[in-house]
Amino acid sequence: MSTAPWLKFVVIALLLVTIGALLRFPLRRINGDSEINYNEGWNAYKQALVGKGVPLYAERPEVFTGPTTYPPASFHLIDLIARHHDVVRTGRWVSLVSLLLAGIFVGLVVRELTAGPIIATFSALLYILGIAVFLPDRLAMNDPQLLGEALTTAGFYCYLKGPDKARLLCVSALAFCLAGFTKQNLIAFPAAVALDLLVRSRKKFAIWLGAMILFAGSFTVLTLAVDGRYFLVHLLFHRAYSLDAGLGSITHYYLLTFQGVLLVAIVWTLCRFRSYPVLA
């Protein structure tokens, strides 16, 4: 029993060492001139347009030029931070900082659920390690995904911190809307909060939903005014897809890779649904 606390610190130390080793190469390539993947060039092109004052959604998308299928928040943020310098390197640093912030918020979420600081730290490091292992090309990459994840996790934490406080509900809604205007696929946490509030309190749900509508409406009006009236046309532009590839990715990648974790999560959900519906 006396060695158990030491074992926890050994595990944390091993996680830190492993993460440090995995981040070594991404840190070195931040200032490199070669692109990590084609998506970096696409994001840089849109960020450069913003820097030149060209609206992103002023015209209907064309077949050869393609649509701007991302919301505008990250493009404006990178341009603002870069101040007309190297947007790719700026975007890479923002992505790296976002990864660390998302990990911190994951730890705070776990800590808020009455877990100890060691377990919270382990959870934060495990999130960062998971991204580093399964999605290494996302590390320090000029892409808004991790920035959006940091924002949506912050919104989830604010909700858990004060589900009965109107002020924190509004802050949570603001963070969720900022995340959605950074990357539109981040819907899991706001959906969980909405369902949890419906179970807990219709009044609090109305406050939170009202704040979501207010912030989302304000951001939409601002986007239409600054970046053009075809915002929704660009976001809803048809994309190529493959049902076979999607099914294969789900079965061979997620289900097989995370089958142990998924089994534990399902059992935990069935046992603790009444206590933690928001996590279920």
Side-chain angles (χ1 to χ4, degrees):
M1 295 295 293
S2 59
T3 60
W6 291 103
L7 182 60
K8 294 177 182 179
F9 285 108
V10 169
V11 172
I12 296 297
L14 289 175
L15 280 174
L16 286 171
V17 171
T18 304
I19 291 172
L22 292 173
L23 289 179
R24 183 180 178 184
F25 175 69
L27 284 172
R28 292 180 61 184
R29 75 183 178 191
I30 283 181
N31 293 322
D33 294 327
S34 59
E35 63 180 15
I36 297 174
N37 56 34
Y38 73 90
N39 216 34
E40 278 204 319
W42 186 87
N43 284 305
Y45 175 67
K46 300 300 180 180
Q47 292 154 358
L49 288 178
V50 169
K52 295 178 180 178
V54 178
L56 295 172
Y57 318 104
E59 304 291 339
R60 288 185 176 274
E62 297 181 2
V63 175
F64 294 105
T65 58
T68 302
T69 52
Y70 287 177
S74 66
F75 303 132
H76 287 278
L77 176 64
I78 299 302
D79 173 68
L80 179 64
I81 297 176
R83 293 188 179 275
H84 306 291
H85 290 90
D86 193 330
V87 292
V88 174
R89 292 174 185 173
T90 302
R92 289 174 177 176
W93 278 112
V94 169
S95 178
L96 180 62
V97 172
S98 298
L99 172 66
L100 300 178
L101 287 175
I104 290 173
F105 281 116
V106 167
L108 291 174
V109 165
V110 174
R111 187 72 178 93
E112 193 63 32
L113 298 171
T114 70
I118 297 296
I119 300 300
T121 302
F122 174 81
S123 302
L125 295 177
L126 189 62
Y127 165 79
I128 297 174
L129 181 63
I131 298 294
V133 170
F134 294 105
L135 297 168
D137 61 330
R138 292 283 182 179
L139 298 177
M141 170 190 167
N142 182 26
D143 184 82
Q145 180 68 35
L146 290 178
L147 173 61
E149 288 189 16
L151 289 168
T152 194
T153 311
F156 189 60
Y157 169 70
C158 290
Y159 171 70
L160 291 178
K161 187 71 175 177
D164 298 322
K165 299 178 180 178
R167 178 174 59 86
L168 285 178
L169 288 176
C170 292
V171 173
S172 172
L174 175 60
F176 284 144
C177 287
L178 285 173
F181 274 79
T182 300
K183 196 71 182 294
Q184 69 269 35
N185 61 349
L186 299 169
I187 60 174
F189 280 167
V193 169
L195 292 174
D196 191 60
L197 282 171
L198 281 174
V199 173
R200 293 176 180 270
S201 171
R202 297 292 177 88
K203 179 181 178 181
K204 300 299 181 183
F205 173 76
I207 295 175
W208 178 82
L209 182 62
M212 288 283 287
I213 293 174
L214 176 63
F215 290 129
S218 299
F219 292 152
T220 300
V221 171
L222 184 61
T223 299
L224 294 175
V226 174
D227 286 308
R229 59 176 177 168
Y230 294 107
F231 171 49
L232 294 180
V233 176
H234 279 257
L235 287 190
L236 299 177
F237 192 79
H238 61 274
R239 301 188 183 190
Y241 63 92
S242 170
L243 293 178
D244 290 338
L247 183 61
S249 177
I250 292 172
T251 55
H252 293 91
Y253 182 75
Y254 290 104
L255 294 182
L256 292 180
T257 304
F258 300 104
Q259 55 184 320
V261 177
L262 289 171
L263 179 60
V264 172
I266 291 172
V267 173
W268 185 93
T269 299
L270 294 175
C271 295
R272 304 298 295 274
F273 179 77
R274 292 185 178 181
S275 301
Y276 296 102
V278 63
L279 295 183

